[in-house]
Amino acid sequence: MSARILTGTILFSLIRIGLGISWLNEGIFKLQAHFTMSGLTQAVVSNTVTPDWYKFFMVHVVEPNTALFNLLIPWGEILVGAGLITGLLTLPALASAIFMNVNYWLANMVYIYPLQLLAAVILLMALRPATHLSLTSLYFHLLERNKRRI
């Protein structure tokens, strides 16, 4: 492996792990703070920059199912973080991260989410080097090694 490829592999893996740590921290914080969607729906609906179709979604889907979303959001963030840190199911973790980032952005919650979205899209475009140093890569390496023994 050339030095340039090795550098890219390490760089993209570090970006993946850093993004995973960010998601994991957000999810754990929400769990510890007893995150709730109560009141958040009203803030999104009264916001002037949120699209009308998203306001409709918040009122008719999220509001009646607040208890479900109170669980889905923090646990989704924790699972995305764990997937990105370990490199297990990296593609579904990145797709979920992008989905959540877009939802947060539509709700006009512009905290760290645009930066997370950018990192997720970059990792999606460089998926192979980003997953080279991962548990999935290790699994396939060991599987191939065991096949050669037989």
Side-chain angles (χ1 to χ4, degrees), residues 34-78:
H34 303 289
F35 171 79
T36 180
M37 291 290 295
S38 302
L40 191 58
T41 304
Q42 217 34 43
V44 171
V45 170
S46 64
N47 192 330
T48 58
V49 296
T50 301
D52 289 335
W53 63 267
Y54 195 74
K55 290 178 183 180
F56 181 87
F57 169 75
M58 292 296 287
V59 169
H60 297 288
V61 177
V62 174
E63 185 78 25
N65 300 300
T66 300
L68 175 65
F69 283 91
N70 289 345
L71 289 172
L72 284 178
I73 291 172
W75 281 106
E77 291 179 355
I78 288 170

Side-chain angles (χ1 to χ4, degrees), residues 115-134:
L115 184 58
Q116 285 180 329
L117 181 61
L118 177 63
V121 169
I122 289 170
L123 288 172
L124 197 57
M125 292 188 303
L127 189 61
R128 187 166 184 179
T131 58
H132 190 73
L133 300 174
S134 67

Side-chain angles (χ1 to χ4, degrees), residues 137-149:
S137 179
L138 177 63
Y139 170 77
F140 285 118
H141 172 74
L142 293 174
L143 188 66
E144 184 64 31
R145 195 173 98 195
N146 285 338
K147 281 184 182 177
R148 280 187 241 149
R149 283 186 186 171

Side-chain angles (χ1 to χ4, degrees), residues 92-113:
L94 282 172
S96 299
I98 290 170
F99 177 77
M100 286 189 291
N101 280 135
V102 168
N103 274 282
Y104 296 155
W105 209 339
L106 285 169
N108 199 30
M109 294 185 253
V110 184
Y111 171 57
I112 192 172
Y113 304 120

